[in-house]
Amino acid sequence: LSPTELQVLRRISELRTNRQIAEEFFISIRTVENHRFKICQKLKLRGNHALLKFSLDHKEKIRANCDEL
């Protein structure tokens, strides 16, 4: 994943909404949706539920990777 996608994934694991993520990064909600879509493609996940479950299951690993950036 790209550094931005990792940051978005981290916010998803923190249960942030698309609107909250967009406001934090000063991007549009549509851009957040695009990042979510790309993350799902790269991780071979289908849908928002699978993405949320993945992010919660791997929360510590995601946080560690984001802290390295």
Side-chain angles (χ1 to χ4, degrees):
L1 299 177
S2 73
T4 304
E5 290 166 345
L6 273 174
Q7 291 293 335
V8 169
L9 187 58
R10 179 177 182 170
R11 297 323 185 270
I12 293 168
S13 74
E14 295 169 348
L15 304 177
R16 305 244 180 109
T17 65
N18 286 352
R19 179 179 302 261
Q20 290 170 323
I21 296 168
E23 289 173 357
E24 182 174 347
F25 291 114
F26 304 103
I27 58 177
S28 72
I29 293 172
R30 179 74 179 136
T31 301
V32 175
E33 291 169 352
N34 286 335
H35 284 307
R36 291 176 73 112
F37 179 77
K38 296 265 187 180
I39 293 167
C40 285
Q41 280 186 319
K42 291 179 180 182
L43 298 177
K44 297 181 177 23
L45 301 172
R46 298 187 84 184
N48 287 327
H49 183 266
L51 178 57
L52 179 60
K53 183 172 179 353
F54 177 89
S55 70
L56 293 174
D57 290 346
H58 298 88
K59 189 173 186 170
E60 294 306 317
K61 193 175 212 179
I62 294 166
R63 178 170 283 160
N65 284 329
C66 286
D67 289 343
E68 292 176 5
L69 296 177

